[in-house]
């Protein structure tokens, strides 16, 4: 909003002051008029009387003149005071209005004033040759910046990012913070050269990615960006044009996030459907948890030496009434994002405990744990509580965590693993080789087992190179004294290749696809490896009852995840 806009709109208070000012001015001018009339008669007479050429003028007239002069001086002074009062009031009001239009933290516009500004730009600057690009900018993983470095550091990152973005903007553009870590810009551009917007946005991605220094810590953030041009405006928008564009830029930004963050996309109409689908999935997942539609499937883990079943890995499946059987790759990341992963996982683990109690006690149960759950300080206690509640022996449980957990708070991960192991639960590192776990990290973290990712195992078909890679991983794990499970064994050839390296466990489609609990029972029954009826209630739970958190504490922490 321009200064002229501000000045031209008068508040009632300003109006009253203006009227008072006007009255003072009229009094002063009337007094001046009177003065002119009186003075022309009285002053010459006064002068002549002073020189002694005539008698003093009428005293009444002289007094009236003096009174008149006093009135002029008073009126003038009052006029000056009122004028300066008015100016300072006007300034204060303008400042207040500007503050109401601004984001306190970064000094950029806020949502309300941005929408008004965009509306104005669309109305005044949009022609066939000139468009307005709306650029939605969202910092990636900003929550982690806050969690790991504190809110002061988060604020610093926000201010620095706003400053860097603002510096890149051409004349006539504006920047706003919509709240949290979301920014938005409106940039006028030539519709014949949209690549200038591409260029601008690429510079934004580059500039924001430069580390931000806060108390001698360098903080790295990236941004995801979505762009909607005024040519994307619908013919019959349901919202105002500005809201329509902001919404579309947001959809494109969301798409950039989904494609892996740290990138930008222009809005395209199919993205709207993607978002709708995603919203439906979110609602479906929440409903599915309430309706108990998530079920555990089990994949066999084989002792490669003996060929016998050593355990099962529980893999989540969603029996969706609309979509049929849905794989975890689809719903786990969403459940993590919308904050329901802990609840989902705990329900599945509870079911898995009950299923596994029917199996021979020598058969272990592995469960996958999301990095989001590892951030919960009560996680180890929750597992412990569930083991006690379900009377399931801790030494039959193996928790699988992925390397991504190690990027987060490594100290917390270490204490979590330690406390789980102290209770007898084993912890293995899943998808080993796909992340960035360093040797020193591995040595310092007390894992019980490494699971080599299936991408390396697949390479074993590739003879020489694959062999060398797997051999290197296996000799490393020997050095760390950690046993190994090979994932994704798809055929006999690979299974035989692996057996050369001694005592390994293996799993993969070669031994069978993940199957529901009922099928596992059938399989084990045929092998005579179901628990004996008389054994069923004799479950070893000694050593389980350590310090457990109260129900309220655990419930409270679930909400915090
Ligand atoms: P993962 O832990 O690496 O699980 C192994 C995945 O590989 C499973 O996919 C399994 O079906 C698949 N697989 C097994 N053998 C073979 C093979 O021979 N060839 C190929 N190509 N694939 C094989 P699934 O069940 O779709 O699970 C995918 C991922 O979802 C899992 O990867 C795991 O990270 C995650 N996940 C599954 N259940 C849960 C859960 O309850 N909680 C969490 N947080 N994550 C889960
Ligand atoms: Ca796993
Ligand atoms: Ca895996």
């Amino acid at each position: 909003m321009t200064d002229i806009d501000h000045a031209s709109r008068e508040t009632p208070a300003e109006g009253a002051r203006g009227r008072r000012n006007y009255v003072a001015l009229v009094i002063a001018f009337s007094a001046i008029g009177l003065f002119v009339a009186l003075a022309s008669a009285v002053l010459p007479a006064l002068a002549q009387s002073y020189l002694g050429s005539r008698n003093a003028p009428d005293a009444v007239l002289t007094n009236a003149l003096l009174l008149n002069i006093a009135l002029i001086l008073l009126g003038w002074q009052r006029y000056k005071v009122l004028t300066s009062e008015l100016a300072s009031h006007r300034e204060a009001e303008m400042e207040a209005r500007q503050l109401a239009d601004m984001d306190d933290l970064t000094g950029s516009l806020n949502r309300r004033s941005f929408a008004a500004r965009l509306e104005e730009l669309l109305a005044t600057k949009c022609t066939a040759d000139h468009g307005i690009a709306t650029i939605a900018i969202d910092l990636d993983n900003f929550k982690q910046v806050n969690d790991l470095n504190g809110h002061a550091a988060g604020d610093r990152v926000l201010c620095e990012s706003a400053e860097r973005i603002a510096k890149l903007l051409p004349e006539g553009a504006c920047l706003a913070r919509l709240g949290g870590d979301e920014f938005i810009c409106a940039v006028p551009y030539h519709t014949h050269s949209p690549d200038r917007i591409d260029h601008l946005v690429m510079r934004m991605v580059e500039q924001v990615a430069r580390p931000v220094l806060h108390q001698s810590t360098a903080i790295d953030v990236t941004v995801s960006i979505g762009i909607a041009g005024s040519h994307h405006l619908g013919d019959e928008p349901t919202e105002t044009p500005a809201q329509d564009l902001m919404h579309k830029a947001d959809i494109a930004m969301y798409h950039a996030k989904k494609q892996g963050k740290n990138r930008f996309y222009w809005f395209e109409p199919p993205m709207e459907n993607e978002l709708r689908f995603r919203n439906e999935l979110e609602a479906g997942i929440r409903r599915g948890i309430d309706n108990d539609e998530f079920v555990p499937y089990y994949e066999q883990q084989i002792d490669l030496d003996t060929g016998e079943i050593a355990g099962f890995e529980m893999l989540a499946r969603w029996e969706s009434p609309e979509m049929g059987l849905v794989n975890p790759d689809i719903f786990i990341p969403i459940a993590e994002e919308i904050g329901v992963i802990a609840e989902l996982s705990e329900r599945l683990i509870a079911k898995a405990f009950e299923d596994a109690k029917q199996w021979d006690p020598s058969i272990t149960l592995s469960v996958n744990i999301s990095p989001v759950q590892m951030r919960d300080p009560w996680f180890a206690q929750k597992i412990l509580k569930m083991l006690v509640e379900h009377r399931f022996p801790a030494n039959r449980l193996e928790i699988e965590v992925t390397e991504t957990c190690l990027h987060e708070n490594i100290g917390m991960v270490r204490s979590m693993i330690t406390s789980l192991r102290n209770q007898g639960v084993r912890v293995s590192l899943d998808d080993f080789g796909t992340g960035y776990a360093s040797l020193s990290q591995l040595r310092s973290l007390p894992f019980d087992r490494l699971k080599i990712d299936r991408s390396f195992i697949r390479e074993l078909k590739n003879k020489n190179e694959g062999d060398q890679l797997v051999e290197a991983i296996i000799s490393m794990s020997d050095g760390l004294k950690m046993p190994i499970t090979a994932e994704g064994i798809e055929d006999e050839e690979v299974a035989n290749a692996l057996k050369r390296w001694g005592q390994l466990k293996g799993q993969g489609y070669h031994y069978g696809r993940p199957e529901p609990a009922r099928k596992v029972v059938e399989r084990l029954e045929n092998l005579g490896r179901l628990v004996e009826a008389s054994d069923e209630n004799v479950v070893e739970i000694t050593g389980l009852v350590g310090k457990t958190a109260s129900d309220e504490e655990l419930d409270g922490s679930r909400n915090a995840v």
Side-chain angles (χ1 to χ4, degrees), residues 299 313-317 327-329 332 336 341 345 348 368-370 373 400 402 430-431 453-454 458 487-490 507-510 514:
E299 179 175 323
E313 175 175 359
M314 189 270 277
L315 295 161
R317 293 289 182 271
N327 278 346
D329 293 333
I332 295 279
E336 287 175 338
I341 185 68
S345 170
L348 283 164
N368 293 283
I369 294 300
S370 144
Q373 287 169 280
E400 298 191 2
T402 55
D430 202 359
D431 301 343
D453 189 67
R454 61 172 180 269
R458 199 170 35 217
E487 291 185 317
I489 304 174
E490 290 186 350
Q507 57 184 97
Y509 293 167
H510 176 54

Side-chain angles (χ1 to χ4, degrees), residues 18 91 108 162 252 269 288-289 326-327 349 423 433 499 502 517 525 538 555:
E91 220 168 83
S108 24
I289 295 178
V326 184
N327 278 346
I349 294 173
Q423 308 301 333
K499 280 182 198 159
E525 192 168 27
V538 190
D555 288 348

Side-chain angles (χ1 to χ4, degrees), residues 24 27-36 65-79:
I27 293 175
F29 274 113
S30 324
I32 289 169
L34 203 64
F35 174 77
V36 172
L65 178 68
L66 289 175
L67 211 62
N68 189 228
I69 292 172
L71 204 61
I72 291 173
L73 290 175
L74 268 176
W76 184 247
Q77 204 178 7
R78 181 75 193 124
Y79 174 73

